[in-house]
């Protein structure tokens, strides 16, 4: 009897938490499907009219485009730094590589507003302020810790004796990398890229401080519209964004072992 | 010979990471230090120098009150969030694999929502017409429908929503690797679930709890969007003041000094949490 009560309590708790997590997404999606301009929930008449308006608006399309461009570049850039660095840490005992990695972890551990001041000042000092490239590079630096952790996790799973055996059998460094290291590492590279992509896609304060006056990413545009009042197209932008990011994580779950990637022990999971 | 090749290839491999990390992390942070003691130029720029007057700005009572408010908010959110996320994560790790993955995807999807979108969604949800306030009226919590934002409650709820997935994902590895034999042993010896939770599970998770609390506090203390969207001016955080000093007032040295102060408070908060964790450990 007591055990049943505990289980019921757990069930209620989990339901409340699921509702709490899902509610904002449901409300925004529902409002985006409303046919009237007024903000109302549940929608009075379901229609896709605001999706048409959103897609027909050059401003929203441009914002969506620059957000995607920044996120893809930041992810690739961060990975281009994290992959060789993690390889060096794994392959050689190098204090320089260790020091660089420690430095690279720093930005992720600081409040975002501090980073935004740092990069606002930095790009002004370089003499190249307010450009889209600045946002890409700043995001790559801000989120560098993420691929370092995921790729580092991947390298830690490689059996070094296997690599030794391949070398003894005459495989050169490139062959070892291609035939042994890369297959194990691939899911960790993909997830590192995906995490940076999603973080950059949604980042507001750094983009705003570094280039908010010339580059309007989707979060910046939504924030600016919020000040001017409610617009149904904002809900459309938000819904499309949620679909993109949820899609990315479904993809990771499909190709990789999500619990393991997030640190669960496979033998128990 | 191989030693030589190793060294050459090592430098080659490290050259790109070294170049980017030095120029995108090390130099910008050194520049922050330099600008914080630079002269404020009314044109919105700065000139090098050794001007400590920027730090005099930090004695401003409004700034100090805002900083104290931000730190208090960070501590509150970290405690409430950990108290909810811990049992939630524990239950998730006990689920069958498929349901676990569904919960993880749900959490990752909310984690991946921009703070702007989440704050916007909460604003919509808390608006008078949308219905959450009407539900509260039915429950007897409110006498008539009203807009629940802006306000302190709206800011705290939205921040908890934002940090919940981070906390769960940080507690997840530790809880899912928790030694089940130990729990079973405690059960066979007649310990109640509550006893097991307090004396076996909680102490083993001290490390992850502390690190997730630190991460949540660091995120909350530097938050800009949530208080500006869901709060009134008295709920603005230090981040709002810093960005105003930098962009509206065009005072880069002043904002650099404020950023350093925020850094110092963040480090103190982090160090304090770690010390608190150690103290508890020696106490048990």
């Amino acid at each position: 009897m007591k055990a049943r009560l505990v289980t019921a309590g757990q069930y209620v708790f989990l339901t409340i938490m699921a509702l709490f997590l899902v509610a904002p997404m449901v409300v925004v999606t529902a409002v985006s499907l409303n046919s009237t301009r007024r903000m109302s929930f549940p929608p009075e008449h379901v229609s896709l009219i605001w999706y048409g308006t959103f897609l027909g608006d050059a401003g929203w399309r441009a914002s969506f485009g620059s957000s995607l461009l920044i996120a893809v570049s930041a992810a690739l850039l961060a990975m281009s730094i994290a992959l060789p660095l993690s390889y060096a840490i794994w392959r050689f005992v190098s204090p320089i590589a260790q020091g660089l990695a420690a430095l690279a972890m720093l930005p992720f551990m600081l409040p975002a507003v501090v980073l935004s001041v740092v990069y606002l000042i930095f790009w002004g000092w370089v003499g190249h302020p307010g450009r889209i490239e600045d946002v890409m590079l700043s995001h790559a630096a801000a989120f560098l810790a993420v691929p370092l952790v995921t790729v580092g996790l991947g390298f830690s799973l490689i059996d070094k004796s296997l690599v030794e055996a391949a070398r003894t059998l005459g495989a050169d460094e490139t062959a070892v990398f291609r035939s042994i290291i890369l297959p194990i590492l691939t899911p960790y590279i993909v997830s590192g890229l995906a995490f940076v992509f999603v973080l950059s896609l949604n980042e507001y304060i750094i983009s705003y401080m570094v280039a908010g006056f010339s580059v309007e990413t989707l979060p910046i545009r939504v924030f600016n519209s919020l000040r001017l009042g409610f617009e149904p197209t904002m809900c459309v932008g938000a819904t499309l964004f949620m679909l993109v990011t949820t899609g990315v994580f479904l993809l990771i779950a499909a190709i990789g072992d999500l619990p393991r990637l997030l640190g669960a022990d496979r033998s128990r999971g | 010979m191989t030693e030589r090749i190793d060294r050459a290839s090592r430098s080659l491999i490290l050259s790109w990471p070294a170049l980017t990390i030095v120029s995108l992390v090390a130099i910008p942070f050194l520049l922050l230090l330099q600008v914080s003691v630079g002269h404020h130029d009314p044109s919105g720029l700065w000139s090098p120098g050794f001007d400590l007057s920027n730090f005099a700005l930090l004695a401003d009572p409004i700034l100090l009150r805002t900083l104290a408010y931000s730190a208090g908010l960070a501590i509150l959110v970290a405690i409430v969030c950990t108290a909810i996320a811990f049992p939630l994560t524990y239950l998730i790790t006990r689920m069958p694999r498929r349901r676990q993955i569904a919960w993880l995807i749900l959490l990752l999807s909310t984690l991946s929502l921009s703070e702007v979108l989440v704050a916007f969604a909460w604003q919509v949800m808390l608006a008078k017409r949308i219905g959450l306030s009407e539900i509260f009226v039915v429950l007897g919590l409110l006498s008539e429908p009203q807009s629940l934002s802006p306000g302190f409650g709206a800011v705290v709820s939205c921040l908890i929503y934002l940090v919940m997935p981070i906390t769960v994902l940080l507690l997840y590895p530790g809880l899912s690797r928790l030694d089940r034999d130990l729990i079973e042993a405690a059960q066979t010896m007649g310990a109640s679930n509550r006893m097991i939770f307090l004396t076996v599970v909680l102490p083993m998770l001290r490390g992850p709890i502390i690190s997730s609390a630190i991460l949540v506090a660091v995120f909350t203390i530097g938050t800009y969007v949530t208080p500006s969207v869901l709060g009134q001016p008295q709920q603005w955080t230090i981040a709002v003041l810093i960005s105003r000093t930098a962009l509206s007032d065009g005072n880069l040295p002043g904002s650099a000094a404020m950023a350093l102060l925020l850094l110092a408070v963040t480090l103190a908060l982090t160090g304090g949490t770690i010390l608190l964790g150690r103290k508890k450990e020696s106490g048990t």
Side-chain angles (χ1 to χ4, degrees), chain B residues 105-125:
Chain B
I105 290 178
L106 174 65
L107 286 159
L108 285 170
S109 310
T110 68
L111 175 70
S112 66
L113 293 180
S114 169
E115 193 181 350
V116 176
L117 298 183
V118 173
F120 168 57
W122 275 88
Q123 199 185 45
V124 172
M125 210 161 56

Side-chain angles (χ1 to χ4, degrees), chain A residues 58-68 216-218 221:
Chain A
W60 280 112
R61 272 209 315 268
S63 297
F64 205 66
S66 40
S67 279
L68 286 177
E216 209 178 29
T217 63
L218 203 75
R221 199 179 155 98

Side-chain angles (χ1 to χ4, degrees), chain A residues 216-228:
Chain A
E216 209 178 29
T217 63
L218 203 75
I220 294 179
R221 199 179 155 98
V222 172
F223 192 80
N224 290 343
S225 323
L226 273 177
R227 289 182 177 161
L228 302 174

Side-chain angles (χ1 to χ4, degrees), chain A residues 116 120 135 139 203-215 217 220 223-224 227, chain B residues 224 243-244 247-248:
Chain A
S116 66
L120 170 70
V135 184
H139 278 181
E203 201 283 330
Y204 172 78
I205 187 76
I206 298 174
S207 325
Y208 172 65
M209 296 268 268
V210 166
F213 294 107
S214 40
V215 183
T217 63
I220 294 179
F223 192 80
N224 290 343
R227 289 182 177 161
Chain B
Y224 171 90
S243 74
R244 281 176 175 245
L247 295 178
S248 312

Side-chain angles (χ1 to χ4, degrees), chain A residues 39-89:
Chain A
M39 173 161 75
S40 59
F41 179 83
E44 288 157 25
H45 300 284
V46 173
S47 90
L48 288 172
I49 170 172
W50 299 113
Y51 284 77
T53 316
F54 179 89
L55 294 173
D57 183 325
W60 280 112
R61 272 209 315 268
S63 297
F64 205 66
S66 40
S67 279
L68 286 177
L69 182 65
I70 291 171
V72 169
S73 321
L76 292 175
L77 211 65
M79 188 51 72
S80 79
I81 302 166
L83 192 57
L85 188 55
S86 310
Y87 176 76
I89 290 172

Side-chain angles (χ1 to χ4, degrees), chain A residues 87 90-91 160-173 176-177 180-181:
Chain A
Y87 176 76
W90 173 79
R91 175 79 175 79
K160 280 207 170 182
S161 59
L162 204 67
V163 176
E164 279 314 313
R167 285 213 186 94
T168 323
L169 292 170
D172 63 359
E173 209 65 21
V176 168
F177 191 82
I180 300 177
I181 300 178

Side-chain angles (χ1 to χ4, degrees), chain A residues 2 6 10 13-15 17-18 20-25 27-28 31 38-42 77 80-82 84-85 87-88 91-97 100-101 103-104 106-115 117-123 125 137-138 140-141 144 173 195 198-199 201-205 208-209 213 218-220 222-223 226-227 230-231 234-235 237-238 241-242 245-246 249-250 253 256-260 262-266 268-269, chain B residues 6-7 9-10 13-14 16-18 20-29 31-32 34-35 45-46 83-85 87-88 91-92 95 97 99-101 103-125 127 129-131 157 160-161 164-165 169 172-174 176-181 192-193 215 218-219 221-225 228-229 238-240 242-243 246-247 252-253 255-256 259-260 262-263 266-267:
Chain A
K2 198 183 160 204
V6 171
Q10 287 177 359
F13 174 68
L14 285 174
T15 312
M17 287 315 294
F20 173 70
L21 290 170
V22 169
M25 297 195 249
V27 169
V28 168
V31 174
R38 239 163 44 101
M39 173 161 75
S40 59
F41 179 83
L77 211 65
S80 79
I81 302 166
L85 188 55
Y87 176 76
R91 175 79 175 79
F92 322 104
V93 185
S94 158
I96 299 173
L100 283 173
L103 204 55
L106 178 74
F108 200 67
M109 294 188 286
L110 300 178
V113 69
V114 172
L115 286 181
V117 173
V118 165
Y119 289 112
L120 170 70
I121 292 172
F122 177 68
W123 293 111
W125 177 74
L137 288 163
S138 307
L144 193 49
E173 209 65 21
F195 278 116
V198 164
L199 284 169
L201 204 58
N202 290 300
E203 201 283 330
Y204 172 78
I205 187 76
Y208 172 65
M209 296 268 268
F213 294 107
L218 203 75
I220 294 179
V222 172
F223 192 80
L226 273 177
R227 289 182 177 161
F230 177 76
E231 233 188 291
M234 290 161 56
C235 290
F241 238 51
M242 291 188 298
T245 47
T246 310
F249 285 119
L250 283 172
D257 184 347
L258 196 60
R260 174 107 186 225
L262 295 172
D265 192 344
R266 197 207 292 264
R268 292 169 190 280
Chain B
D6 261 12
R7 187 169 285 182
S9 61
R10 189 191 316 187
I13 289 166
L14 278 177
W16 171 244
T20 48
I21 291 170
V22 168
S23 55
L24 290 175
V25 180
I27 293 175
F29 275 91
L31 199 64
L32 180 76
Q34 206 206 339
V35 173
L45 297 169
W46 56 283
I84 301 173
L88 176 63
L91 292 177
I92 291 175
M95 289 174 187
R97 195 180 148 83
R99 269 173 70 202
Q100 262 191 54
I101 291 178
W103 271 91
L104 291 175
I105 290 178
L106 174 65
L107 286 159
L108 285 170
S109 310
T110 68
L111 175 70
S112 66
L113 293 180
S114 169
E115 193 181 350
V116 176
L117 298 183
V118 173
F120 168 57
W122 275 88
Q123 199 185 45
V124 172
M125 210 161 56
R129 278 200 294 271
I130 292 301
S157 321
I160 290 175
Y161 183 90
M164 182 63 65
L169 294 177
Y172 180 76
S176 72
R177 289 175 190 199
L178 200 66
D179 197 340
R180 284 181 197 181
D181 300 344
S192 68
N193 279 338
L215 208 74
V218 170
F219 171 83
I221 205 172
T223 183
Y224 171 90
V225 174
S228 5
V229 174
I238 186 82
V240 180
I242 291 177
S243 74
L247 295 178
L252 288 184
S255 66
L260 285 178
L262 175 57
L263 259 188
T266 308
L267 287 179

